[in-house]
């Protein structure tokens, strides 16, 4: 239950910030262009807070936090007194109307740059992308990528960590081959390897890009010796102690495989489990009842213990940061790369290279917000930047109910010298609403199917 509340709270905070940024872009430029703004609302439905400023603009926080809007004076919507006609949106030049509409998505991109700047200024804890192993007969194994080698570039892009690699690989979906540069730990020279991805079966909703290629990232060895026992946890109540080595679960040998043990416990929430541990060179039998917590809508068992880990090798752990001056160009580049990648993914959705099963809706966003906030502020900043970019791009799609649709109409007006006829606009709005509803339905269905 706590996970649901945490995810929901993180989602509301994240969406509230991003909607406010987007709508403020419209609001600020509208004011600069001399348009009277009647209402600035974050959320829809019943207002829970409101205030009116000296310009007559009503600022509202509404009950349903799934969007927002800026209501401007407009003769097409309401009757406007003659003395206020010059303040109406529809009476502004086409260039001003384009600027007002484009300001929302541009504000989202600007926010992403600021968020990434703060992220790089603080520094992002990460690990260098050393290959731990290759799955037998996998694409990576057939390309002879070096085990224990460090990946330094993917498809011509320099990479610092596994997140960079994942982004670069996703951008190569649909390509028949991918060039990867890697070097051995004792070498300063990188060698290029070509992965044959003509038959690459990558389903992002089921697995990661790395796993689908057969690349196993290096990680310190996890032992089945207990390093931490949480106070008041199921493990503590059962008598498990720091230093115990797990030998068997319900009579089945664990064989020093922590992942196997963790998976078994996860499936046995609120059930009696027989454990055998090695304590002071003697085998001790214990009975434990794992506590339950909700993970992705399902009950999962947990004991409240952590295993002993080998230390990371020297030089593997890094902090990605660029200082006060260096963080700005890096944040600009990261934002640009994500904008390009997002448009490429939209193109691949249209061509069928990427399945619509990869679309995500509010549930996935809420889970992502909760997870990133749980990892720490710097990761939440990265999540906000990513969602802000996606929000900006979605609003630029040429659907009449979105900013991109309005921009399309104004560009046509700019080229032809006259507005798009009202009937055509109305048909466009209906088509746009239907298309957007279809996309949202697919995204929400995908969210529910992943629970």
């Amino acid at each position: 239950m706590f996970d649901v509340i945490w995810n929901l709270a993180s989602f509301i905070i994240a969406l509230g910030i991003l909607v406010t940024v987007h709508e403020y872009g419209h609001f600020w430029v509208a004011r600069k262009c001399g348009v009277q703004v009647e209402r600035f609302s974050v959320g829809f439905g019943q207002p829970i807070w409101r205030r009116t400023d000296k310009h007559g603009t009503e600022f509202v926080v509404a009950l349903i936090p799934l969007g927002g809007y800026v209501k401007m004076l407009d003769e097409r919507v309401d009757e406007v007194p003659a003395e206020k006609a010059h303040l109406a949106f529809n009476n502004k030049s086409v260039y001003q109307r384009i600027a007002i509409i484009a300001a929302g998505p541009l504000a989202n991109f600007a926010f992403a740059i600021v968020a990434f700047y703060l992220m790089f200024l603080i520094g992002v804890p990460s690990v260098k992308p050393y290959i731990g192993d290759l799955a037998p007969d996998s694409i990576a194994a057939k390309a002879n990528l070096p085990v224990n080698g460090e990946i330094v570039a993917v498809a011509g892009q320099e990479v610092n960590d596994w997140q960079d690699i994942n982004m670069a690989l996703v951008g190569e979906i649909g390509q028949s081959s991918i060039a990867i540069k890697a070097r051995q730990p004792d070498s300063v020279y990188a060698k290029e390897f070509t992965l044959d991805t003509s038959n690459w079966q990558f389903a992002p909703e089921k697995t990661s890009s790395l796993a689908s290629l057969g690349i196993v990232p290096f990680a310190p060895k996890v032992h089945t010796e207990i390093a931490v026992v949480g106070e008041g946890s199921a493990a503590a109540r059962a008598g498990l102690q720091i230093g115990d080595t797990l030998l068997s679960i319900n009579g089945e040998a664990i064989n020093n495989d922590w992942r196997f043990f963790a998976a078994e416990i996860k499936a046995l929430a609120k059930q009696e489990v027989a454990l055998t541990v090695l304590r002071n060179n003697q085998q001790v039998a214990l009975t434990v009842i794992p506590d339950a917590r909700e993970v992705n809508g399902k009950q999962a068992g947990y004991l409240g213990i952590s295993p002993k880990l080998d230390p990371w090798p020297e030089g593997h752990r890094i902090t990605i940061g660029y200082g006060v001056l260096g963080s700005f160009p890096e944040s600009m580049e990261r934002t640009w790369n994500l904008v390009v990648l997002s448009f490429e993914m939209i193109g691949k959705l249209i061509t069928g290279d990427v399945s619509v099963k990869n679309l995500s809706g509010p549930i996935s966003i809420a889970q992502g917000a909760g997870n990133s906030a749980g990892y720490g502020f710097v990761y939440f900043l990265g999540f906000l930047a990513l969602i802000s970019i996606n929000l900006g791009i979605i609003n630029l799609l040429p659907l009449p109910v979105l900013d991109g649709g309005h921009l399309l109409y104004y560009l046509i007006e700019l080229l032809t010298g006259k507005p798009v006829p009202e009937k055509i606009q109305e048909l466009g709005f209906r088509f746009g609403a239907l298309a957007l509803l279809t996309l949202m339905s697919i995204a929400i269905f995908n969210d529910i199917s992943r629970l």
Side-chain angles (χ1 to χ4, degrees), residues 258-444:
W258 175 263
R259 289 186 178 182
F260 164 75
F261 170 75
E264 289 292 302
I265 291 296
K266 186 177 180 180
L268 295 169
K270 298 294 185 181
Q271 300 180 44
E272 282 195 0
V273 178
L275 296 180
T276 303
V277 302
L278 185 65
R279 179 183 298 168
N280 299 325
N281 295 319
Q282 293 186 341
Q283 292 190 14
V284 177
L286 298 167
T287 299
V288 62
I289 301 177
D291 290 329
R293 59 184 170 189
E294 193 169 301
V295 178
N296 295 331
K298 297 180 181 178
Q299 292 292 305
Y302 75 101
L303 294 180
I305 60 176
S306 297
K308 178 183 176 181
L309 303 173
D310 285 346
W312 282 93
E314 186 177 353
H316 277 235
R317 301 189 73 170
I318 58 174
T319 297
I320 301 174
Y322 300 98
V324 175
L325 298 178
S327 294
F328 182 69
E330 288 294 332
S331 64
M332 292 278 288
E333 182 179 359
R334 175 64 66 90
T335 300
W336 173 252
N337 288 340
L338 282 170
V339 169
V340 172
L341 177 61
S342 298
F343 277 115
E344 288 178 347
M345 293 300 290
I346 291 172
K348 289 173 182 179
L349 277 170
I350 294 171
T351 60
D353 288 326
V354 175
S355 171
V356 292
K357 292 181 180 179
N358 299 315
L359 291 174
S360 295
I363 298 174
S364 292
I365 295 173
Q367 290 171 344
N371 291 338
S372 62
Y375 292 144
F377 179 65
V378 70
Y379 296 101
F380 190 56
L381 282 173
F383 175 82
L384 285 176
L386 177 63
I387 299 302
S388 188
I389 290 169
N390 282 318
L391 182 61
I393 288 173
I394 288 171
N395 271 281
L396 285 176
L397 294 177
L399 297 176
V401 291
L402 301 174
D403 294 336
H406 290 284
L407 289 173
L408 178 61
Y409 286 155
Y410 298 147
L411 288 172
I412 293 172
E413 181 179 346
L414 193 64
L415 293 173
T416 62
K418 55 184 179 180
V420 175
E422 290 290 337
K423 287 186 177 180
I424 294 178
Q425 288 193 41
E426 185 179 345
L427 287 173
F429 283 123
R430 290 181 180 179
F431 169 78
L434 180 61
L436 188 61
L437 181 62
T438 301
L439 289 173
M440 289 178 62
S441 299
I442 293 171
I444 293 172

Side-chain angles (χ1 to χ4, degrees), residues 22 24-33 35 72 89 92-107 396 403 406-407 410-411 414:
H22 180 91
Y24 186 79
H26 294 309
F27 167 80
W28 187 81
V29 176
R31 279 267 179 97
K32 291 297 180 182
C33 290
V35 175
M72 294 173 274
F89 173 81
K92 297 300 175 181
S93 73
V94 67
Y95 292 105
Q96 289 176 312
R97 282 178 276 145
I98 287 174
I100 293 168
I101 297 301
L106 291 177
L396 285 176
D403 294 336
H406 290 284
L407 289 173
Y410 298 147
L411 288 172
L414 193 64

